[in-house]
Structure formats: structure tokens, C-alpha cells
Amino acid sequence: MTSADQVAKVSSTTRDPFLDVIRAFAMIAVIANHYLYTLLFRNQQGQFELVMLQENGNPWVSWPFIWELQAFFLPAAALSYSAALRTNWRVFIGRRVWRLLVPVVPLLIGLILLQVTTSAAGMGKCASWTTGLTCATAMPISPLWFLMVLVPLTIATPLLARAWRGPWRIVMPLVVVGFSLISDARWISTGSTIPLNDISVWLLVWFAGFAYAEGTLLRVRAVVWWRIVVGGSLVMVGMVVVGPYPPWIGSSPRTSMAALECVVGVSLLMALRSPLCRIRDRKFVDLCVRQVGDRVMGVFL
């Protein structure tokens, strides 16, 4: 067992090199995933449209980012677990939610100014949105959906952490999977999922963060994680081929495809844990950890 594998638990006084690395690069991946291949163009009616490349005949570009949101949510849950157990729930929720909402105020001011100026410049409404926003305003908003997930998950963390420590931990992820399957059945028959499914699927990553914090995931060998990655990926490909699931990662509405994406993404991160720990102190990685992980991601985690 390497020294990297011996980092058993996350605490407020110990820096986990694995969490350091993935939370820093998660934000970089979010930017790349949402902006580097977002297309802005005029349709046949002369209206601006905002379409991501994977939704425009190039689904392959999304698959390398299967780990992205897992790398965001897993550290958030892992770093919240112990604090949620030892802190009064009102204090925990108040501090964490306030920290999440503080950046929203300058963001809203910036978006209002962007909307006013782009509308005045004659950009017009974004045809792919029904809110009347210009595409210039819609572009920075679209990746921020995670706040709508992170805030309720943060509020629920004290309750979830205590339940996870009890006898129901095995049942909790099974309930999420069952809920997702029921939502899938509704989606296939009616075309719409159960609204809460967009949040519930990310509970799987949240629970994985709890399991990481208490050391459970660390007892699984890398070869097992690789088997889950390969097997889960093959199942995902099969779901796309057989249908009716879309061929790109991160599709909306969330379905059991997204739930499986969570499992594969977490497994991939855990399979790579030892090499990721070993690169923590390299100059470029350390710079990303300090400038992106601690400064930017520290707001969310």
C-alpha cells in the first residue's frame, strides 16, 4: 500500500491530497465543459441560438468529462461530513448556505448589466431559451445549475450525515436508484421525469463523499474500481444503443443514465486516487490547488 493509500479519513486538520487535486481540476473542467464547445449561432430565422456541441451531433466531446461533476460534489460531501456531525445543524446550514449565496449578489448585478447592454446592442432574445434573455446572458447562467443542487444538498447534509452513520446507509442509495427508475418509467411513457430527480441523482455522489470521509471507499482496491468503470461504461453505451437515452454525458432531464454516470465517475476518480495523490506537490498542480481549489472552490466546499 502506498503512502497515498494510507490517507484514510478527511478531517479539518488534515489535507487530503486526493481531494485537493480533484476539487481544483473540477472547476477547470466545468469551465472547459460548459464554455469551450458552446456554440452561438444564428438560425434560419435570424435568431441567436445557444447550443452545446454534444447536442449538435458531437456527443463524444462530453464523455471525457464523465468525472467532472463527481469531482465537484464528492469533495463537497466529504469535507462536509465530519462538520455536519459535530456542528449544530442550524449553525452548519447558516454558515454553509450563506457562503454559497454571497457570490450570487455580484453575479446577479453582472448578469443584469450584461442583459441590459446586450439587449441595447440589438442582440435579441436567445431562441433556445424561453426566458427572454439574450444568449450572451444565458451563456454564463447555464453552467450554474449546480447551485440549485448544491444548496438543497447542503441544507440536507446534517440530516443525511446522521442517517448515513446509522443502520440505513445501505438503503439510502438504493432508494435513490429506485426513485430514478420510477422517474425513468414516467419519462419514457410521458416525456417528463419526476422534477426532484434532477436533485436526487446527485445524492449518489453525496453519499459517496460520506463513504470517502469515513474511509469506506478507501478499503476498495483500485482493480475493483476499474472493473466498475469498465462494466458501468459498457452498460451506459448499451443504454444509448438500445435507447431511448441520449448519447451525451450530462443530459437533461436527469435519468438513470445520470445515476450510472455518477457511479462510473466516482469509480474512475477512486481508481486514479493513488496517482492523483502523487502529483499533488508538482508545481503546476500545487498552483491549481492554491489558486483554484482553495480560493475559488473554497466558496462551495
Side-chain angles (χ1 to χ4, degrees):
M1 181 178 291
T2 66
S3 59
D5 291 323
Q6 294 170 353
V7 182
K9 295 186 179 181
V10 181
S11 71
S12 59
T13 58
T14 303
R15 294 291 296 247
D16 185 309
F18 171 67
L19 296 182
D20 270 353
V21 172
I22 66 171
R23 78 170 188 162
F25 283 94
M27 179 56 75
I28 297 173
V30 165
I31 295 172
N33 190 16
H34 287 89
Y35 293 121
L36 294 188
Y37 47 79
T38 297
L39 306 177
L40 178 64
F41 62 94
R42 288 183 183 270
N43 59 24
Q44 293 180 345
Q45 289 73 39
Q47 298 172 299
F48 282 103
E49 286 201 43
L50 191 63
V51 180
M52 297 190 79
L53 192 58
Q54 68 266 33
E55 299 175 5
N56 198 36
N58 298 277
W60 60 271
V61 299
S62 63
W63 284 77
F65 293 95
I66 192 171
W67 57 274
E68 168 207 329
L69 288 171
Q70 288 71 25
F72 190 101
F73 285 103
L74 188 144
L79 295 170
S80 299
Y81 181 69
S82 296
L85 291 176
R86 67 173 182 266
T87 308
N88 177 275
W89 66 271
R90 294 183 183 87
V91 175
F92 177 88
I93 293 174
R95 288 176 178 173
R96 298 277 174 145
V97 173
W98 173 252
R99 193 166 65 191
L100 284 170
L101 295 181
V102 165
V104 172
V105 175
L107 175 65
L108 287 176
I109 294 174
L111 290 174
I112 291 171
L113 291 175
L114 184 61
Q115 175 68 16
V116 171
T117 54
T118 52
S119 294
M123 184 170 221
K125 297 178 181 179
C126 193
S128 51
W129 282 54
T130 59
T131 55
L133 298 176
T134 65
C135 281
T137 309
M139 188 177 291
I141 290 177
S142 57
L144 298 177
W145 65 266
F146 72 88
L147 282 174
M148 294 186 290
V149 177
L150 194 57
V151 170
L153 284 179
T154 300
I155 293 173
T157 292
L159 176 63
L160 292 174
R162 285 164 175 78
W164 183 262
R165 198 172 55 170
W168 294 99
R169 71 170 61 196
I170 300 299
V171 177
M172 292 165 69
L174 294 178
V175 169
V176 174
V177 172
F179 186 81
S180 184
L181 292 174
I182 294 172
S183 181
D184 273 21
R186 173 177 168 173
W187 173 60
I188 292 171
S189 60
T190 67
S192 62
T193 60
I194 300 174
L196 285 177
N197 197 50
D198 271 19
I199 295 177
S200 66
V201 292
W202 299 113
L203 280 170
L204 293 177
V205 187
W206 212 250
F207 295 153
F210 291 170
Y212 182 89
E214 64 179 8
T216 301
L217 297 189
L218 301 175
R219 291 193 284 270
V220 180
R221 294 182 302 158
V223 65
V224 177
W225 290 121
W226 280 118
R227 289 171 183 168
I228 297 174
V229 170
V230 174
S233 299
L234 291 175
V235 173
M236 291 176 69
V237 171
M239 293 170 71
V240 171
V241 172
V242 175
Y245 299 93
W248 58 83
I249 298 298
S251 60
S252 185
R254 308 294 171 182
T255 63
S256 55
M257 181 81 163
L260 193 53
E261 175 188 337
C262 294
V263 174
V264 173
V266 169
S267 299
L268 178 61
L269 291 172
M270 292 304 300
L272 295 172
R273 181 175 180 271
S274 289
L276 289 174
C277 287
R278 286 195 292 268
I279 67 171
R280 165 61 181 86
D281 293 326
R282 293 187 180 180
K283 189 173 182 179
F284 173 73
V285 176
D286 182 64
L287 179 66
C288 291
V289 168
R290 288 185 287 106
Q291 300 300 324
V292 180
D294 290 349
R295 293 192 178 187
V296 179
M297 292 291 281
V299 174
F300 306 109
L301 308 184

